[in-house]
Amino acid sequence: MECPIANAVVPVAGLGTRLLPATKSQPKEMLPVARKPIVQYVAEELARCGVRNLLFVTGRGKAAIENHFDPDPALTRTLRAAGKTDLQVALDFERLGLNILYTRQSVPRGLGDAILHGESFTGREPFIVALGDSVIGLRGDSLACRRMAETFVRRRADVVIAVREVPRDHVRFYGIVVSDGDGDTFRIRTLVEKPSTQDAPSRLAVAGRYAFSPRIFGLIREVRPDRRGEIQLTDAIRAVAEQGGTVLGVRLGADEKRYDVGNMPSYFETFLDFAAADPDHGPRVRSHMRRILRRYSNEEGR
Ligand code: G1P
């Protein structure tokens, strides 16, 4: 099914310093989560939602992402010659039906600046933004972006944001929204980037998926860099809301947990969750987990 929004921008330029040394010479978006690199779940999610064109905003050291999505006929021939049909299936994602383009953010100047690199790609059309280091739902099979695109068109919105409640001690990692109402779709009055626990106006966090009208570009340009020199996307969205634009929140469902792979503990948790849910290897992983848990609880009980 087609998505009412055809274009998606996927920023993958972040340095991944919180995942060093794993990210010293490879992009964090290429780290595996069970059987696939993180960014493959993101591209598959967008393809399933009916997006047609995808722009990756890359940066220094991100060439592995381009290599991953490039069809590799020599590898396919080798697998076919060896009769390894099961492994050939693993390369089916090379034909997602997406038209993939790349551009490069040469200086890491924040998420807002990365999105600005999508301006000539999206032109006057609305577009989706899906962060390349976060997966929505176990197996990454959420249709949230299509729901958001439908809401965007139906409500003639300027911005639609996926949101999800987080524990109070996690608000400092996210954009946090102030909303009117508590249904599945609601108006967002304002939002603040990574507030302290005391200052957070709610526990509703921006969850790595957005839909924008091209109006956002002008407002990103007006954002003043923060103290780290970064242009925050959240600041441009707040400007839309403050100027009376329609900024809507779409709540992610219970089965649409956001797996954030930006730091070690959440990367470990994500890997475990996805490995345990693997259709082929999940049972074996789960019994191994039970064994190691027993071992740890025996040791801790001593
Ligand atoms: C970014 C956004 C933040 C959002 C988060 C998760 O932060 O700036 O508002 O909540 O992604 O979607 P980052 O995790 O890149 O620091």
Side-chain angles (χ1 to χ4, degrees), residues 18 111 131 174-175 193-194 206-208 210 232 234 258:
R18 280 174 289 177
L111 183 56
L131 303 191
Y174 301 103
E193 182 68 7
K194 305 194 176 98
V206 175
Y210 313 75
Q232 292 299 341
T234 298
R258 170 170 176 267

Side-chain angles (χ1 to χ4, degrees), residues 139-180:
R139 302 187 193 87
D141 52 7
S142 152
L143 292 175
C145 284
R146 191 189 301 160
R147 259 183 5 252
M148 292 166 67
E150 285 162 359
T151 303
F152 182 94
V153 172
R154 197 175 56 245
R155 302 275 298 266
R156 296 170 198 268
D158 294 295
V159 183
V160 176
I161 309 175
V163 295
R164 205 180 150 77
E165 221 156 76
V166 295
R168 189 153 280 283
D169 55 341
H170 285 191
V171 290
R172 65 181 195 280
F173 302 124
Y174 301 103
I176 299 293
V177 313
V178 179
S179 67
D180 268 4

Side-chain angles (χ1 to χ4, degrees), residues 115-259:
I115 302 310
L116 213 44
H117 283 66
E119 190 169 13
S120 55
F121 162 75
T122 61
R124 291 165 189 267
E125 301 286 318
F127 61 101
I128 287 169
V129 167
L131 303 191
D133 67 352
S134 60
V135 184
I136 308 287
L138 202 52
R139 302 187 193 87
D141 52 7
S142 152
L143 292 175
C145 284
R146 191 189 301 160
R147 259 183 5 252
M148 292 166 67
E150 285 162 359
T151 303
F152 182 94
V153 172
R154 197 175 56 245
R155 302 275 298 266
R156 296 170 198 268
D158 294 295
V159 183
V160 176
I161 309 175
V163 295
R164 205 180 150 77
E165 221 156 76
V166 295
R168 189 153 280 283
D169 55 341
H170 285 191
V171 290
R172 65 181 195 280
F173 302 124
Y174 301 103
I176 299 293
V177 313
V178 179
S179 67
D180 268 4
D182 52 8
D184 289 338
T185 305
F186 43 77
R187 187 101 187 220
I188 290 176
R189 287 288 154 215
T190 190
L191 60 171
V192 14
E193 182 68 7
K194 305 194 176 98
S196 65
T197 314
Q198 308 85 280
D199 296 341
S202 79
R203 292 196 291 125
L204 270 186
V206 175
R209 300 292 182 271
Y210 313 75
F212 289 110
S213 84
R215 181 179 170 195
I216 196 71
F217 294 121
L219 291 163
I220 294 175
R221 269 197 209 90
E222 285 173 21
V223 169
R224 296 245 292 281
D226 66 10
R227 59 193 151 71
R228 290 164 57 209
E230 295 195 351
I231 308 286
Q232 292 299 341
L233 183 58
T234 298
D235 292 346
I237 303 173
R238 188 172 51 248
V240 178
E242 283 172 359
Q243 292 175 12
T246 305
V247 181
L248 302 174
V250 165
R251 196 184 291 270
L252 294 177
D255 55 349
E256 291 177 320
K257 180 170 176 206
R258 170 170 176 267
Y259 292 94

